[in-house]
Amino acid sequence: MTREQRRLVETMRSTTFDYSALARSRDGFGGGMQWLKVKKFEYLTRYRRDPITGEQKATSIGRRSPETEAIYDRFITGRADLDRQMGALRPELAEQARMAKALRLSRAPSEIGDVARAIGLSEMIDHITIIGEAAVYTYECEMAALFPREILPDDGMDLLVAGVHPTDVIDELIAVLRRARIEVQRARLSRDKAAVELKTDEGLSIRLYTISTLENLVDQYAEVTSYGAEAVRWALDQPVMRSILIDRNGRAALAAVLEPRAYCMLRFMALDVEEMSLIRREASSELTAAVVKLVHERWTEPFAEDHVQTIGPLQDALGEDGIPSAPRM
C-alpha cells in the first residue's frame, strides 16, 4: 500500500471499531418501552420484535413507581445518546468509503462485506470467526499490502461458529442477517459433511463449522501427516484477532479472523482433505502461497521451524532457505 492508502486504512479501522462497538451497545435498546394503563394502574412494558418470527413480544417490568420510572428514563436517555453518537460517525464513514473507492482499496465482494458487517455490528462477532479465504481481505488491511486482484477469492465464506454442531447457531445468525436485510436459506450439508451451508439471495455460500467439526477434519488430515495435524491443532489454539475488510462499495466491516499463520495452516489442511476441482485447488494453492509470502515479509511473528518442516506445501511456499519463492503469476 502507498502511504496515503495506509493512512486511510488506519483511519477507517479506528472509525469502524468505534461505530461497531456503539452498534453492539445499541442492540440492547432494540424495540422500546411504554407505559400501559390496566384498570387504574400504569405498567412499564418492554416490547421487542422477534427477529426470526417477526412477531412483536411484550414483557411487563412492573407497576409505575420511582424504580420503574428510573428504568424508563435510563432506557430513553441511553438509546438517544447512542443514536446521537452513531449519527455523528455516519458522515465520516460515508466520506471514508468514497475515499477508499478513489484510492482503489475497495476489494471484497459486496456480498461478503454485507455479511461481515452484519456480524461485526452485532454480539455475534464474539462467536463467529472467518476462517476461509474471505479472510484474506482483512489480512490486506492488517499488513498494508494488496494481493493481485486476479487471485482474490469471491466464491463464499467459511465461518467458525460457537456450539457443538453448526446448526446450534443457525437461527441466531439468520436473525442477525435478516436484521441487515440479507435473506438466507438453509442449504444442504457440504460435500465433506463437516459444515452446514447457508445461501443468500445473491448466491453467496456461507459454510458453518464448529471446533468439533474442524477437529474431525484434523483427524482426517492426521492420516496424511500426523505432524501436520499437530500444526493445525496449534493453529486452532491461537487467539482470534479483529481487523477490517473493505468491500467494493468502499465500506469497511469489522471481522474476527484467525491469526494469519494459523490461517495458512488451516488452508493447507483444507487442500488435503476437502473435495474440490483441479482448477479450484490450483487457485486456492496460489492464494495460500501468496498469504505465506505476505506473512513472511510483514507479520510480526515468523513461521515456526517445526511447522515449516512438517507441512510440505508450507516449506515449498517458503523455499529451501525459508524465503518465499517467486510468485507464479
Side-chain angles (χ1 to χ4, degrees), residues 108-116 154 157 182 200 202-204 247-248:
S110 58
E111 297 85 0
I112 289 176
D114 289 343
V115 171
D154 61 1
M157 296 181 74
I182 302 171
T200 70
E202 288 76 24
L204 180 69
D247 68 20
R248 289 175 188 167

Side-chain angles (χ1 to χ4, degrees), residues 160 194 209-222 229 232-233 236-237 266 269:
L160 175 62
Y209 295 82
T210 62
I211 284 293
S212 59
T213 54
L214 282 181
E215 286 174 347
N216 291 335
L217 293 177
V218 175
D219 290 340
Q220 295 178 40
Y221 190 45
V232 175
R233 291 190 178 97
L236 294 176
D237 285 338
L266 212 63
M269 179 186 75

Side-chain angles (χ1 to χ4, degrees), residues 189-210:
L189 284 172
S190 64
R191 288 182 182 178
D192 53 34
K193 295 183 173 54
V196 169
E197 190 174 12
L198 301 176
K199 283 276 191 180
T200 70
D201 285 354
E202 288 76 24
L204 180 69
S205 171
I206 305 172
R207 296 200 302 175
L208 308 181
Y209 295 82
T210 62

Side-chain angles (χ1 to χ4, degrees), residues 263-302:
Y263 164 86
C264 293
M265 309 292 178
L266 212 63
R267 293 313 304 160
F268 284 129
M269 179 186 75
L271 286 168
D272 265 344
V273 302
E274 289 189 5
E275 294 181 14
M276 60 183 76
S277 68
L278 178 61
I279 293 175
R280 175 78 181 86
R281 188 176 301 280
E282 287 185 348
S284 184
S285 297
E286 187 166 28
L287 179 60
T288 305
V291 178
V292 168
K293 179 178 180 181
L294 182 62
V295 170
H296 176 80
E297 293 179 348
R298 290 181 172 267
W299 190 239
T300 53
E301 297 291 334

